[in-house]
Amino acid sequence: MENLVTLGGFLRASRSRLEPADVGFPTTTRRRVAGLRREELAQLAGVSVDYYTRFEQGRSKTASRAVLDALAAALHLDESNAPTCSVSPLNRSEYIAGTTRSR
């Protein structure tokens, strides 16, 4: 569970570093917090806002490699700063957030 909380914090921090103009969104509205809104990141990653919110809040324990890759691309992450993942030994079709990259 701790890894999910850590991943959620990482996603929030990464989201706050991107400005809407960095990804092609208009900056005409006032924002209460810096960075992208959850809705904007979900749209860029091609996932539902509800799914992304659950994932960021640590309420969704699994995500496919495709979803993780889409989030990394939407957040402009590369190998050096992307969250790390490892395949769960219990179910090889799901990915669990971890602390070391395994390849």
Side-chain angles (χ1 to χ4, degrees):
M1 182 67 167
E2 180 181 330
N3 287 339
L4 294 174
V5 172
T6 302
L7 180 60
F10 175 82
L11 290 171
R12 279 187 297 281
S14 297
R15 202 166 41 85
S16 71
R17 283 192 292 271
L18 281 178
E19 293 299 320
D22 296 339
V23 295
F25 285 114
T27 57
T28 58
T29 60
R30 184 172 173 209
R31 292 172 180 263
R32 292 187 300 168
V33 294
L36 294 178
R37 295 179 174 125
R38 285 183 179 136
E39 296 82 10
E40 294 166 337
L41 182 58
Q43 180 181 352
L44 290 169
V47 298
S48 73
V49 176
D50 182 58
Y51 180 77
Y52 176 75
T53 301
R54 284 184 284 124
F55 194 61
E56 186 181 276
Q57 292 176 346
R59 295 185 288 133
S60 179
K61 296 180 179 156
T62 61
S64 70
R65 173 55 100 192
V67 167
L68 295 175
D69 289 345
L71 287 171
L75 291 167
H76 297 175
L77 301 177
D78 58 22
E79 287 287 321
S80 66
N81 60 5
T84 57
C85 301
S86 60
V87 177
S88 167
L90 299 175
N91 183 349
R92 298 184 95 47
S93 67
E94 61 188 26
Y95 293 87
I96 306 296
T99 56
T100 60
R101 182 175 299 281
S102 59
R103 290 215 174 212

